[in-house]
């Protein structure tokens, strides 16, 4: 008991230490956008570091952390500049989207996938992404087969796909989940297994194979390769994604139908998220060289490793 209490007190002290510096900065200068952004990141780190811990199961604590992170990034964005003017301000808006993505995951855990939006929404009217990430999200959603599950990799593709699917309402037939959530968040995995009728295997390490039996699984090329597990899943490369499905037929989108106009502008404007989007497209072009034609039309082929010209 004494050891547990000591660890709890130590953890609480470390949390207060991590919050002290950015809190002090915003107290001295409420218009310090960088300090507000730093404070938002501390709150997000507290949340994601405890994805399956006891604190995460405390709904009051989780909502308090989410609300605090949302306020911090909203203040950061307002202080750092309007949309499209300040790269730092636009990045703060992207991380605010992450806060709402985390809120959605928690809402799904509590209320179920079918009722998740009622638990975590509605989103603020001023929630937005930079155009390059909106374009990335739209391209990824379009690449997935009907009624599939898109599993995302990194911040760029995760927030982009979530925002386009759940805020803009694109591709309502799809479910979008960061792969790390399904792997590490036991509460979410159990809820998803029940809602998607994956059976007992869906609650454990066999969840991906169980998922593919029910729905197409779509893996973003934000990853170097699709997940490797004990089950031999029938992964096939499509433009921007790998797909495993037990269904017959092929509803893939032709490579020429993807658009990269916002990426071209973002590279020219040195948008801080442009390189993250380019990394996804470059990997996709190496796997599906036919994408190079579309990238070339927007004069991005040279920047995308694997394309010529």
């Amino acid at each position: 008991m004494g050891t547990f209490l000591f660890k709890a007190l130590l953890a609480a002290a470390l949390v207060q230490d991590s919050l002290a510096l950015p809190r002090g900065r915003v107290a001295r200068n409420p218009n310090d956008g960088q300090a507000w952004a730093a404070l938002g990141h501390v709150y997000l780190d507290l949340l994601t570091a405890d994805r399956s811990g006891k604190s995460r199961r405390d709904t009051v604590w989780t909502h308090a952390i989410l609300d605090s992170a949302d306020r911090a990034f909203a203040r950061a964005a307002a202080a750092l500049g309007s949309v499209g003017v300040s790269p730092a301000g636009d990045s703060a808006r992207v991380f605010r989207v992450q806060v709402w993505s985390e809120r959605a995951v928690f809402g799904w855990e509590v209320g179920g996938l079918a009722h998740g939006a009622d638990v975590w929404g509605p989103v603020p009217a001023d929630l937005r992404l930079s155009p390059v990430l909106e374009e990335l999200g739209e391209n990824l959603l379009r690449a997935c087969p009907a009624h599939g599950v898109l599993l995302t990799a990194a911040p760029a593709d995760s927030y982009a796909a979530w925002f386009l699917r759940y805020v803009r309402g694109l591709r309502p037939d799809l479910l979008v989940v960061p792969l790390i959530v399904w792997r590490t968040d036991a509460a979410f995995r159990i809820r998803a297994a029940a809602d998607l009728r994956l059976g007992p295997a869906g609650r454990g390490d066999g969840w991906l194979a169980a998922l593919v039996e029910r729905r197409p699984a779509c893996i973003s090329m934000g990853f170097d390769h699709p997940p490797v597990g004990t089950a031999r899943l029938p992964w096939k490369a499509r433009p921007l994604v790998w797909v495993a499905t037990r269904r017959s037929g092929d509803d893939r989108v032709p490579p020429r139908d993807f658009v990269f106009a916002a990426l071209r502008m973002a590279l020219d404007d040195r948008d801080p998220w442009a390189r993250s989007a380019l990394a996804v497209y470059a990997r996709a072009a190496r796997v599906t060289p036919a994408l190079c034609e579309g990238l070339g039309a927007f004069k991005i082929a040279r920047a995308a490793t694997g394309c010529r010209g």
Side-chain angles (χ1 to χ4, degrees), residues 265-280:
M265 294 177 62
L267 289 170
D268 292 341
D269 295 340
R270 297 185 179 181
D271 185 301
W273 291 94
R275 290 294 167 183
S276 297
L278 180 62
V280 177

Side-chain angles (χ1 to χ4, degrees), residues 144-168:
C144 286
H147 305 290
V149 177
L150 172 60
L151 298 166
T152 54
D157 63 336
S158 293
Y159 312 156
W162 179 86
F163 184 85
L164 266 292
R165 165 62 183 88
Y166 297 106
V167 178
R168 292 295 174 83

